[in-house]
Amino acid sequence: MTNDPVRLATPARASWQQQLRDAVRDVAELAALLELPRDAIAADAAARDFPLLVPRAYIARMKKGDPRDPLLLQVLPTALEAVEVPGFTHDPLSESEFAEAGLVRKYRDRSLLITTGACPVHCRYCFRRSFPYADQLAARNDFADALERLARDGTKEAILSGGDPLSLGNARLASLLERLAELPALRRVRVHTRFPIVLPDRIDRGLVALLERARVDVVIVLHTNHPREIDEDVAGALRALRGAGVTLLNQSVLLRGINDDADTLAELSERLFECRTLPYYLHLLDPVAGAAHFDVGGPRAEAIYRELLARLPGYLVPRLVREIPGQASKTPIRLGL
Ligand SMILES: *Cc1c(COP(=O)(O)O)cnc(C)c1O
Ligand code: SF4
């Protein structure tokens, strides 16, 4: 096993669109880049069901020769995904009940927009792995129906989600932000994105400029699970976002074999803080079919969380939550005495 960085086939500063086109979609190529035996690492059935997709900028942070690398495990299709486990379903959050015309309206005053089905990476544990994006896109007729609905509801916070909303180009994002800013009741726009982590060059000058100009407060909630996901390029992207006046928060998913220990999570919080980002949520895994092998049982999750509480200042401890469909908010996990 070596720690040499993976050599990049893409010139370091190709445009983000080019880097996305050049992302690795082939398991054999990923195995070769990481010097891993092809057979040892992947399952073709899983890859057909939910294809491999990972940008080279993210692969560059993986360790060569290590089949247990915590970044690799987040993106690698495996045979374990085919194991059916009771309670793990295709729509664990009952989103189909709450979704209408691309809006998921579960909580008071907030409305989540399915802006696109596209992501810069495919995370194996994603609870929207089987989401019917084709039927549920707020982007239909250029967001007109969605905006009309937000106006009618008096929504205070629009949450741009997906997919990954930064898959939309800067011109479309700028136009959407402008029209959102015109809604009289709207106080904030929130963007849920993994782009700054997996493809930091997405935070280009045009994006920073449109965020600086925005006439509405913008909160960006990142999705980072491991401190090694944050290299210097990511740190630079986060600094640029802060420079544009954006509030930066992070959510993580507690994942077996990836970040299920207090050392890793404490270091993640420290690293996020260095990048001016506060930890927001630590989610228990949503029971989506194909992801049961990532599940950390409740008692272990609590033990890890207790240790985090004992080690970190309160503001660096994310809230441990799970989502229970039908509840008025994410449900905080109460620690037993
Ligand atoms: C998680 C979620 C939100 C946001 O909840 P917060 O607790 O405000 O972060 C909003 N809408 C949906 C559908 C969600 O799943
Ligand atoms: S980036 Fe987010 S929405 Fe896309 S696959 Fe990963 S977890 Fe799912």
Side-chain angles (χ1 to χ4, degrees), residues 14-22 169-170 199 201-202 204:
S15 71
W16 68 268
Q17 292 93 337
Q18 184 57 43
Q19 291 185 52
L20 203 51
R21 280 193 290 274
D22 199 32
N170 290 340
L199 214 171
D201 285 343
R202 172 67 189 91
D204 58 11

Side-chain angles (χ1 to χ4, degrees), residues 106-316:
K106 277 190 177 173
Y107 304 142
R108 189 192 294 179
D109 296 335
R110 285 152 287 171
S111 196
L112 184 146
L113 283 78
I114 304 291
T115 55
T116 167
C119 289
V121 65
H122 286 170
C123 312
R124 306 315 299 179
Y125 48 83
C126 179
F127 67 88
R128 289 206 188 109
R129 292 178 55 134
S130 306
F131 191 83
Y133 286 111
D135 313 331
Q136 291 292 347
L137 271 188
R140 252 186 352 173
N141 59 27
D142 199 24
F143 295 102
D145 292 349
L147 287 159
E148 199 254 323
R149 187 72 204 224
L150 295 177
R152 198 152 26 105
D153 288 351
T155 302
K156 292 190 181 146
E157 181 168 352
I159 303 174
L160 308 188
S161 182
D164 195 310
L166 297 189
S167 300
L168 304 177
N170 290 340
R172 288 190 77 197
L173 280 172
S175 144
L176 180 57
L177 275 185
E178 269 167 37
R179 287 182 294 156
L180 285 166
E182 280 163 16
L183 301 178
L186 198 94
R187 311 280 294 261
R188 281 178 303 282
V189 173
R190 192 195 314 186
V191 180
H192 282 180
T193 178
R194 198 148 158 67
F195 256 107
I197 304 303
V198 300
L199 214 171
D201 285 343
R202 172 67 189 91
I203 313 308
D204 58 11
R205 279 201 210 167
L207 182 65
V208 171
L210 80 88
L211 290 169
E212 270 169 355
R213 274 200 316 271
R215 287 180 299 117
V216 61
D217 283 330
V218 178
V219 180
I220 291 186
V221 182
L222 307 167
H223 168 184
T224 322
N225 298 313
H226 194 282
R228 277 211 359 246
E229 289 180 291
I230 306 175
D231 67 2
E232 274 315 299
D233 286 346
V234 173
L238 299 182
R239 273 195 296 276
L241 290 171
R242 285 285 294 153
V246 167
T247 299
L248 287 175
L249 304 173
N250 182 66
Q251 51 185 341
S252 305
V253 184
L254 186 62
L255 296 166
R256 190 158 97 202
I258 293 173
N259 61 6
D260 55 338
D261 63 274
D263 285 343
T264 301
L265 291 171
E267 182 53 28
L268 175 59
S269 281
E270 299 279 5
R271 187 78 185 113
L272 287 166
F273 184 76
E274 286 169 0
C275 300
R276 305 294 174 261
T277 303
L278 288 177
Y280 178 38
Y281 280 143
L282 175 60
H283 297 271
L284 295 189
L285 183 77
D286 296 313
V288 65
H293 54 291
F294 289 116
D295 196 28
V296 176
R300 268 206 65 224
E302 285 191 26
I304 294 165
Y305 193 68
R306 248 179 233 289
E307 202 180 326
L308 265 192
L309 282 168
R311 286 169 66 145
L312 290 170
Y315 59 89
L316 290 188

